[in-house]
Amino acid sequence: MTTSSAPVDGAADALQVLRNRTFDEIAIGDSASLERAFSPQDIHMFALQSGDVDPESSVSSPSRDTTEAICANVLISAVLGTRLPGPGTQYVSQNLRLLGAVRPGDRLTVQMQVSSKDTATHHVTLDCTCTSQEGVAVFQGQVEVVAPTERIERTRTALPEIHPDAQGRTGLQHLLAHVAHLQPIRVAVAHPCDVPSLSAALEARHAGLIEPVLVGPRGRLEAVATEAGLDLADVAIVDVPHSHAAAQQAVALAAAGEVEALMKGSLHTDELMSALVSAAAGLRTKRRVSHCFLLQTPAYPRPFIVTDAAINIAPTLEQKADIIRNAIELAQVIGVREPKVAILAAVETVSPTMTATLDAAALCKMADRGQITGGLLDGPLAFDNAISIAAARTKGIVSEVAGQADILVVPDLESGNMLAKQLIFLGGAASAGIVLGAKVPVILTSRADSRDTRIASCAIALMLAHHYRLSPP
């Protein structure tokens, strides 16, 4: 939130201390304003407060009157409690008219102006008007309060993060419902010669996501299927002698247009990626290939991307730019129109001795100059500042990205891999893994990944493949 009220003793002091205005200090015509972006998470929280939650909807959406009424109370209370009159204010009554709808992404400004005072009761009446970023009125009316008579100063504290409990369907169920209208794609599955990878390919087929083409030694595939009780009777198999040949053949199928995506089986990642990025393969684009973890954790209100945690070991500045471009593309495909990109480092200030901070600053400048488009970049940001509004405010960071990042860009593979796996194995995050930057998406999962992770990764590949039909990479 921002306010038009000028700090009493300087900007830095105002960030740390709340000061009220007593009844005697308030004059008719005094005003204060507050601005706030209205996010989908706000809608969900308002829906939980009102009890108006649709369990069949992927995004809770309370009725129009409920949304505007709660929004009005939140904004008005914020102005009264922190600016005018400030701490010590006692609420009496309000009379508001709801005039317009509030939608996710709207930036609302509430303006409050003192219209009358009653010396006998210390009552103060304020006129209220709230408008959207387009100047459309959302609500207007009057509020009556009892103004404090004594000076109150209070140290500001960072509010705790509030996260609604997960209800209804899981993230995977939401994802599968989201792609249910898309036709399955043919996917070359390279060397699925263990039970987890072969089972995942067949389960993704059963879910209507892919039509697998199994590329590997037929004998081993059939032995694994027998061991797991799987039926390969109507599944396409390309018989090759070993994992290296499986990688080469799977890539060749993609280059020939016979499949629209690749899926890693039980072979090593390097085998598949080496075949993919070979100049002779014909699958490279102008962009650097990179990996994205799409994660959803109970401690964060929306899915987010961690990149790159699997392909580029120590990316250069130019490579990081492509890593960001790939992640922005993925975010847009899954429905985030202008993703917020946090470029991570150990600290949030630029230091000549820390390359990650220098790269972050340069990447932000590249975005300013139009060299990276489609997202909103900020960095360097420490991890806590990137995902916690409370932490960012405590450190005095003013940013549209801090605390609400959609994409976390890590300095190198090691830090990214550890971050992603900590979130998955200790933080309970659901995950999907995908490689972008080639002419086809690559479903890249670990042997330790769960069944849900493999299925979710196939769903993401399905979305990307349909996107590539319209906008080839």
Side-chain angles (χ1 to χ4, degrees), residues 145-280:
V145 300
V146 177
T149 57
E150 297 181 355
R151 165 72 72 181
I152 297 176
E153 293 188 0
R154 182 180 301 159
T155 301
R156 290 182 184 266
T157 58
L159 297 177
E161 303 284 353
I162 299 176
H163 305 292
D165 294 332
Q167 297 185 5
R169 294 181 294 184
T170 66
L172 177 59
Q173 289 172 322
H174 284 310
L175 180 58
L176 293 179
H178 184 71
V179 301
H181 68 288
L182 298 177
Q183 292 298 312
I185 56 173
R186 281 174 60 86
V187 176
V189 187
H191 205 256
C193 294
D194 63 2
V195 173
S197 56
L198 183 58
S199 297
L202 297 182
E203 287 190 52
R205 180 193 188 215
H206 179 72
L209 302 173
I210 71 171
E211 285 297 335
V213 178
L214 309 180
V215 185
R218 180 181 290 272
R220 288 187 62 183
L221 293 172
E222 292 174 345
V224 171
T226 300
E227 174 191 349
L230 303 173
D231 185 7
L232 300 182
D234 56 350
V235 179
I237 297 177
V238 177
D239 189 14
V240 295
H242 45 65
S243 61
H244 183 70
Q248 297 287 343
Q249 186 59 42
V251 167
L253 290 172
E258 296 183 35
V259 298
E260 292 185 85
L262 300 174
M263 183 175 182
K264 175 180 172 290
S266 58
L267 77 174
H268 197 277
T269 298
D270 286 349
E271 281 190 280
L272 181 59
M273 296 310 301
S274 294
L276 176 78
V277 301
S278 169

Side-chain angles (χ1 to χ4, degrees), residues 238-433:
V238 177
D239 189 14
V240 295
H242 45 65
S243 61
H244 183 70
Q248 297 287 343
Q249 186 59 42
V251 167
L253 290 172
E258 296 183 35
V259 298
E260 292 185 85
L262 300 174
M263 183 175 182
K264 175 180 172 290
S266 58
L267 77 174
H268 197 277
T269 298
D270 286 349
E271 281 190 280
L272 181 59
M273 296 310 301
S274 294
L276 176 78
V277 301
S278 169
L283 291 181
R284 296 181 64 172
T285 68
K286 294 180 179 180
R287 284 191 194 168
R288 179 84 174 183
V289 169
S290 62
H291 178 272
C292 289
F293 272 112
L294 180 61
L295 301 170
Q296 185 169 22
T297 174
Y300 200 61
R302 58 187 172 277
F304 61 98
I305 294 167
V306 172
T307 188
D308 179 357
I311 302 296
N312 296 282
I313 298 174
T316 64
L317 177 63
E318 183 179 2
Q319 291 166 355
K320 286 181 180 179
D322 272 346
I323 288 170
I324 292 172
R325 294 180 184 109
N326 288 339
I328 289 173
E329 180 181 31
L330 174 59
Q332 291 176 335
V333 167
I334 64 175
V336 184
R337 184 174 59 183
E338 187 182 36
K340 298 176 180 179
V341 183
I343 307 167
L344 299 185
V347 296
E348 61 277 357
T349 53
V350 178
S351 170
T353 61
M354 300 180 70
T355 303
T357 67
L358 296 174
D359 284 353
L363 290 163
C364 291
K365 180 54 65 176
M366 291 173 70
D368 290 342
R369 298 292 171 83
Q371 294 171 267
I372 300 173
T373 60
L376 187 62
L377 277 62
D378 194 13
L381 288 172
F383 178 75
D384 56 344
N385 304 324
I387 54 87
S388 169
I389 292 177
R393 287 178 178 170
T394 297
K395 294 188 176 182
I397 297 173
V398 179
S399 164
E400 294 186 67
V401 174
Q404 47 192 334
D406 300 299
I407 299 170
L408 303 177
V409 182
V410 298
D412 52 42
L413 184 148
E414 288 183 311
S415 60
N417 194 270
M418 286 187 280
L419 171 60
K421 290 183 177 177
Q422 285 169 355
L423 291 168
I424 293 168
F425 288 97
L426 293 179
S431 67

